[in-house]
Amino acid sequence: MEKEKLMELARQAGKRAYAPYSHFPVGAALLSKSGRVYLGCNVENASYGATNCAERTAVYKAISEGETAFEAIAIAGQNAKTCAPCGICRQVLREFCVPAEFLVYLEDGRGGIWTRHLEELLPLSFGPEQLRDTWED
């Protein structure tokens, strides 16, 4: 799928965000290896710790429907401002992808799209393979 199409889906998802506190809606469109796209938006809560980001909403939605392998995600912030995933979202994405292969598309604030690999956004990451040795004991 073209990154422009994925970004447009992320923008549409952001329109459904529940952001009464930050007033900063975010949308995400997550592309699975099967070709299916899962949309997510941020959902805020008066108890801020219960808030969920758009990226994690998309991942959890996909996981709940049986997908566990992903190729790319597009993230759209309010007014086309660059909106990179937070640290928790980067770690959640890391759980289900190969960081050197997984693409992250971000609006550049001028109508363009930046493309980064998750490895660039989360260097020296910790993933499931670090725990495999302990599973075999």
Side-chain angles (χ1 to χ4, degrees):
M1 172 175 286
E2 295 177 7
K3 64 183 175 182
E4 292 81 10
K5 175 66 175 164
L6 203 60
M7 185 60 72
E8 180 54 36
L9 291 170
R11 289 184 194 112
Q12 291 173 18
K15 293 177 183 176
R16 293 190 286 268
Y18 178 73
Y21 307 108
S22 72
H23 305 287
F24 192 84
V26 178
L30 178 66
L31 177 63
S32 71
K33 289 202 180 245
S34 72
R36 192 161 171 207
V37 176
Y38 296 87
L39 304 181
C41 61
N42 55 322
V43 180
E44 296 180 351
N45 192 285
S47 173
Y48 293 145
T51 293
N52 203 54
C53 298
E55 300 91 329
R56 283 182 282 141
T57 299
V59 170
Y60 297 157
K61 187 183 211 180
I63 297 299
S64 74
E65 295 186 27
E67 296 275 5
T68 58
F70 307 105
E71 290 185 15
I73 191 167
I75 304 162
Q78 181 185 29
N79 299 325
K81 293 179 183 175
T82 301
C83 184
C86 74
I88 295 171
C89 288
R90 293 174 197 208
Q91 185 62 46
V92 168
L93 290 166
R94 169 62 177 89
E95 184 74 13
F96 301 102
C97 72
V98 176
E101 298 173 7
F102 185 80
L103 295 172
V104 179
Y105 302 126
L106 307 170
E107 292 182 298
D108 70 0
R110 295 182 306 274
I113 299 172
W114 286 343
T115 302
R116 299 291 187 269
H117 286 96
L118 184 61
E119 182 175 65
E120 296 173 82
L121 301 178
L122 190 64
L124 299 172
S125 66
F126 184 84
E129 62 279 1
Q130 273 83 24
L131 296 175
R132 287 204 176 100
D133 290 341
T134 61
W135 295 341
E136 295 173 356
D137 291 344

